[in-house]
Amino acid sequence: MNWVLTLLLFLYPFILYAGMQFSSAIWVALCLLPLAIWRLWGLRRHIKGGWLWTGICVLSLLFGQSILSDSDLGMRLYPVLVNLALLVWFTSSLYFPPPVVERLARLKEPDLPAHAITYTRKVTKLWCIFFLLNGSVALYTSLFSSLSVWTFYNGFLAYCLMGMLGAGEYLVRRKVKQAHGQ
């Protein structure tokens, strides 16, 4: 069931776009808010302290804005919120180690060599830059673009850019491993 929810949220921009073609923002928000909260709730074992409830409150405020104003703006800001949350998570891991990318790398290779630890720190910084830039463009499209432009960027182009960054990092990682005889 979790994969269905993940797929629905992956398609979130297209669902919002389609919903706005056939209904009001009020009804679309009332349908999408439970999905967003359900997904956040599914991540509860990874979210520490009061961050889970903070996230639920922020989601409720964003979608509540759409419900109260019958506007899609609050729902359009959801990708901005996701990028902001990822930016905070990745950035904070640089100050409270280990960095996120190192944690992920250790799942596959628990005893990372020193050069790999340095590399994962740099990759974590690169993802921070990505989330900052992607979130900024998501914010711009939310505030100043048509719903179709917003949908194209947040539902297609942002994922392409993320995939390109991931693929590029994989190729660089292979070269780094080769250079260190791995």
Side-chain angles (χ1 to χ4, degrees):
M1 190 56 135
N2 202 20
W3 66 270
V4 172
L5 181 58
T6 301
L7 177 64
L8 287 173
L9 287 174
F10 181 77
L11 296 173
Y12 175 89
F14 298 103
I15 295 169
L16 174 57
Y17 181 84
M20 291 303 298
Q21 304 308 305
F22 301 106
S23 187
S24 72
I26 295 168
W27 292 109
V28 176
L30 287 171
C31 291
L32 289 177
L33 176 59
L35 288 175
I37 290 175
W38 185 20
R39 179 63 184 136
L40 188 59
W41 186 257
L43 297 171
R44 68 186 174 279
R45 69 173 188 231
H46 304 290
I47 302 173
K48 295 181 176 140
W51 288 108
L52 174 67
W53 296 108
T54 302
I56 290 172
C57 288
V58 171
L59 282 173
S60 298
L61 287 171
L62 283 180
F63 285 79
Q65 186 278 337
S66 286
I67 293 166
L68 293 174
S69 67
D70 195 12
S71 159
D72 63 5
L73 178 60
M75 293 181 288
R76 284 195 201 199
L77 291 172
Y78 179 73
V80 178
L81 179 64
V82 170
N83 278 279
L84 180 60
L86 290 168
L87 175 61
V88 167
W89 180 38
F90 275 62
T91 302
S92 67
S93 77
L94 293 168
Y95 295 97
F96 303 101
V100 171
V101 175
E102 180 183 338
R103 292 178 207 172
L104 295 172
R106 286 186 185 278
L107 293 175
K108 188 173 181 181
E109 191 177 337
D111 297 321
L112 288 176
H115 75 273
I117 292 170
T118 302
Y119 177 78
T120 59
R121 185 170 186 78
K122 289 177 183 176
V123 174
T124 299
K125 290 177 182 177
L126 180 62
W127 279 104
C128 289
I129 293 167
F130 174 82
F131 294 130
L132 177 64
L133 294 174
N134 192 53
S136 297
V137 175
L139 179 61
Y140 180 85
T141 60
S142 296
L143 298 175
F144 303 112
S145 297
S146 67
L147 183 58
S148 58
V149 169
W150 176 90
T151 302
F152 175 73
Y153 182 79
N154 292 285
F156 177 71
L157 197 53
Y159 291 120
C160 290
L161 294 171
M162 194 178 305
M164 288 169 46
L165 178 58
E169 186 279 321
Y170 173 75
L171 295 173
V172 170
R173 183 177 353 128
R174 285 183 49 190
K175 292 283 187 189
V176 169
K177 282 184 163 189
Q178 257 182 350
H180 287 88
Q182 293 180 315

